[in-house]
């Protein structure tokens, strides 16, 4: 064994050494429909205004650590209840890590619980924080198995339960009353985190219900709204709870360029909302077009992506790659996703290019 291998084996945790890094596919030269991004940029005039504002940033200074102006803009623009604050993160990924670090007890192995399949960072963040992860399989129709969820909560008494709403990668909204039952089952010992990353495309939200449930945390990101490049997430909860979680947040975790860009974008949020509306309409058209193809099952979606099942997902995925179209093959994530693919909803031009390539991949 080489000296560096010895050093790694001595210093790096065995569970970290045994897993793969989070992989992001190289999309250069592809029609990119794998990452649930908003395909629309800000209008040219707004980009020029934003550029001028960014040019005034004091890059030699740390950000104002309270982020008061940006937080106020988020609260006023994005539906946070009166009297509730937000915590900002470097994407929602950082907020997930903060929640896990804050709730990883030192005297025992605390538990993170979530339906599965769901967002992979719930499990990874739990592992890295030294927590156990319990996944409760969805039913065959991709809905919550509420009796199994409640039984797992009673058995494991999790510190955190993550509920992606809509769920990634399935795209569906779980039943709201079932989520309420889960929140109530955790009362007194656990937090329910409703992850609303895809809220701009959904028909429901738990943000306005925060005052009902002291153990509810609502988490969102501006990535799907059209600002994936600036990496900004936010979450809200009861003020006393949020204050405790904020102790774990690194100082200056939002850089000044992100802060300025987010404030500017939220001043023009109507543009982003119009883009989200266009994507919701395109989602319906794309779903109908795929459903008309032979052998394709389309699942309901309240997000900016659509989950489908095809006769042979590996074959369809490879043929789409050969036609320079990149989607997500999720068929290996969980048994309920056998032969499933996930497609981001995009512009009419990219949707048409995908449909042409997809139809050809099915018939070839």
């Amino acid at each position: 064994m080489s000296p560096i291998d010895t050093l790694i084996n001595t210093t790096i945790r065995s569970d970290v050494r045994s897993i793969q890094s989070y992989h992001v596919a190289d999309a250069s030269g592809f029609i990119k429909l794998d990452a649930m991004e908003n395909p629309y940029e800000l209008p040219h005039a707004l980009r020029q205004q934003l550029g001028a504002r960014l040019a005034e940033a004091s890059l030699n200074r740390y950000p104002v650590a309270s982020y008061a102006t940006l937080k106020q803009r988020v609260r006023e623009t994005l539906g946070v209840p009166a009297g509730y604050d937000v915590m900002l993160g470097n994407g929602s990924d950082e907020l997930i890590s903060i929640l896990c670090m804050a709730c990883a007890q030192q005297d025992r192995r605390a538990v993170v619980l979530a339906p599965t399949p769901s967002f992979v960072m719930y499990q990874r963040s739990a592992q890295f924080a030294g927590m156990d992860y319990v996944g409760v399989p969805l039913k065959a129709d991709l809905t919550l198995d509420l009796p199994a969820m409640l039984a797992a909560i009673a058995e494991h008494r999790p510190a955190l339960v993550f509920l992606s709403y809509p769920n990634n990668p399935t795209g569906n909204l779980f039943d709201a009353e079932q989520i309420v039952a889960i929140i109530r089952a955790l009362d007194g010992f656990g937090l329910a985190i409703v992850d609303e990353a895809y809220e701009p495309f959904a028909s429901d939200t738990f943000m306005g219900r925060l005052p009902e449930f002291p153990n509810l945390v609502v988490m969102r990101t501006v990535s799907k709204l059209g600002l994936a490049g600036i990496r900004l997430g936010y979450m809200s909860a009861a003020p006393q709870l949020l204050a405790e979680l904020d102790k774990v947040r690194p100082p200056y975790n939002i850089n000044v360029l992100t802060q300025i860009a987010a404030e500017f974008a939220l001043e023009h949020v109507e543009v982003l909302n119009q883009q989200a509306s266009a994507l919701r309409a395109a989602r319906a058209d794309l779903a109908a077009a795929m459903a008309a193809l032979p052998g394709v099952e389309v699942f309901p979606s309240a997000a900016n992506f659509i989950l489908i099942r095809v006769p042979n997902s590996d074959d369809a995925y490879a043929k789409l790659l050969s036609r320079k179209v990149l989607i997500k093959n999720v068929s290996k994530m969980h048994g309920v996703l056998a032969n499933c693919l996930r497609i981001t909803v995009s512009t009419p031009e990219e949707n048409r290019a995908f449909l042409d390539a997809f139809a050809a991949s099915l018939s070839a």
Side-chain angles (χ1 to χ4, degrees):
M1 184 179 292
S2 70
I4 187 62
D5 288 335
T6 300
L7 178 65
I8 289 171
N9 286 339
T10 302
T11 58
I12 305 298
R13 284 165 31 186
S14 61
D15 64 314
V16 173
R17 298 198 310 268
S18 67
I19 64 173
Q20 299 295 316
S21 298
Y22 190 99
H23 176 67
V24 179
D26 182 5
S28 303
F30 284 78
I31 295 175
K32 191 175 188 304
L33 306 178
D34 68 324
M36 296 86 75
E37 297 153 321
N38 179 342
Y40 297 107
E41 295 183 338
L42 289 173
H44 180 71
L46 291 183
R47 294 203 304 274
Q48 288 187 314
Q49 294 175 38
L50 174 58
R53 193 174 296 189
L54 290 170
E56 298 299 318
S58 298
L59 299 181
N60 59 315
R61 302 291 185 187
Y62 286 113
V64 176
S66 66
Y67 303 111
T69 304
L70 176 54
K71 288 163 67 174
Q72 179 180 356
R73 182 72 64 179
V74 170
R75 292 195 304 268
E76 293 174 348
T77 307
L78 299 176
V80 178
Y84 281 69
D85 201 358
V86 293
M87 182 194 302
L88 306 179
N90 180 14
S92 56
D93 293 344
E94 184 181 43
L95 297 176
I96 295 167
S97 295
I98 286 172
L99 284 159
C100 290
M101 285 189 291
C103 296
Q105 301 287 344
Q106 299 300 299
D107 59 337
R108 56 183 172 82
R109 293 278 295 187
V111 172
V112 168
L113 188 145
T116 186
S118 194
F119 186 36
V120 66
M121 291 308 296
Y122 304 150
Q123 181 172 2
R124 291 176 73 92
S125 295
Q127 175 185 348
F128 297 152
M131 305 173 81
D132 290 332
Y133 177 81
V134 175
V136 180
L138 296 175
K139 297 196 292 187
D141 64 357
L142 307 182
T143 60
L144 282 175
D145 187 338
L146 183 61
M149 289 288 294
L150 296 178
I153 288 169
E155 177 182 356
H156 298 285
R157 295 180 64 83
L160 300 170
V161 172
F162 285 97
L163 297 159
S164 183
Y165 188 74
N167 189 43
N168 172 23
T170 59
N172 55 317
L173 278 171
F174 298 139
D175 181 84
E177 287 309 307
Q178 292 188 341
I179 290 180
V180 168
I182 291 168
I183 296 170
R184 288 178 172 151
L186 291 164
D187 187 35
F189 64 86
L191 304 180
I193 295 86
V194 177
D195 183 353
E196 297 186 346
Y198 303 93
E199 181 271 336
F201 311 99
S203 58
D204 198 11
T205 173
F206 271 80
M207 185 67 81
R209 304 188 70 173
L210 280 169
E212 294 180 48
F213 308 108
N215 64 331
L216 172 62
V217 179
V218 175
M219 180 170 60
R220 293 180 180 169
T221 174
V222 300
S223 293
K224 314 310 175 185
L225 190 59
L227 303 170
I230 70 172
R231 306 301 300 128
L232 180 69
Y234 63 100
M235 66 182 179
S236 188
Q240 301 94 319
L241 174 59
L242 201 66
E244 294 301 318
L245 296 171
D246 193 55
K247 296 175 182 177
V248 185
R249 178 182 60 84
Y252 312 119
N253 64 323
I254 307 300
N255 70 75
V256 293
L257 298 179
T258 288
Q259 183 175 0
I260 291 170
E263 290 175 3
F264 179 85
L266 292 178
E267 290 171 13
H268 303 279
V269 72
E270 71 280 355
V271 174
L272 302 177
N273 288 337
Q274 289 167 5
Q275 293 174 354
S277 178
L279 291 171
R280 290 194 298 270
R283 177 182 66 198
D285 294 340
L286 182 59
M290 289 191 292
L293 295 172
V296 178
E297 179 183 5
V298 179
F299 294 94
S301 175
N304 66 334
F305 60 86
I306 301 172
L307 184 76
I308 64 172
R309 177 170 283 126
V310 296
N312 188 324
S313 58
D314 291 343
D315 183 65
Y317 177 77
K319 288 175 178 175
L320 284 167
L321 277 183
S322 71
R323 292 172 170 86
K324 309 302 286 184
V325 177
L326 183 62
I327 63 170
K328 187 74 171 180
N329 185 354
V330 298
S331 60
K332 304 299 191 296
M333 284 185 65
H334 193 276
V336 300
L337 297 179
N339 283 316
C340 283
L341 304 169
R342 189 190 68 197
I343 301 98
T344 302
V345 179
S346 188
T347 63
E349 296 76 18
E350 289 195 341
N351 291 340
R352 174 48 54 191
F354 159 74
L355 284 169
D356 290 344
F358 183 50
S361 74
L362 294 175
S363 61

